[in-house]
Amino acid sequence: GPQVWTSKTSTPTGIKNNVAKSDIKLYPNPTVDKINITNPGDARQIPLYAFDGKVINTYELQRNETITVDVSTLSNGMYFIDTTPFIKQ
């Protein structure tokens, strides 16, 4: 009879946690001087990264906490809070 070939692809499960979409909320985005960060999830440290991946600061947020961060001294460009990008104008 005819031969049937099957191929199975799977996604590595260990990677998922590292690239999971962040549940934090940022506004306004883009921003000029301040950005609000809301953490709807469990208490954790939330890093602020430059576009090149350098950690600029880390913020400790409790569950459902919102903080306002002064970004007026940052150069214009793209930054990331956790894995969520924002634009500083």
Side-chain angles (χ1 to χ4, degrees):
Q3 288 187 326
V4 177
W5 296 89
T6 60
S7 173
K8 226 188 213 181
T9 58
S10 63
T11 305
T13 54
I15 308 258
K16 184 174 59 175
N17 291 339
N18 294 336
V19 295
K21 182 163 173 17
S22 177
D23 55 354
I24 65 167
K25 294 177 178 39
L26 303 178
Y27 59 93
N29 186 7
T31 186
V32 176
D33 55 354
K34 294 185 181 349
I35 193 156
N36 299 293
I37 308 169
T38 301
N39 176 32
D42 292 335
R44 61 188 173 127
Q45 291 191 338
I46 297 178
L48 165 61
Y49 297 102
F51 189 75
D52 63 6
K54 179 181 170 215
V55 176
I56 296 170
N57 208 337
T58 303
Y59 307 98
E60 182 76 38
L61 272 79
Q62 301 304 311
R63 181 179 194 74
N64 295 324
E65 182 179 12
T66 299
I67 63 169
T68 301
V69 175
D70 181 353
V71 294
S72 62
T73 60
L74 296 178
S75 299
N76 293 355
M78 181 179 283
Y79 295 85
F80 295 87
I81 293 185
D82 200 23
T83 58
T84 304
F86 77 93
I87 304 293
K88 162 63 170 69
Q89 295 182 323

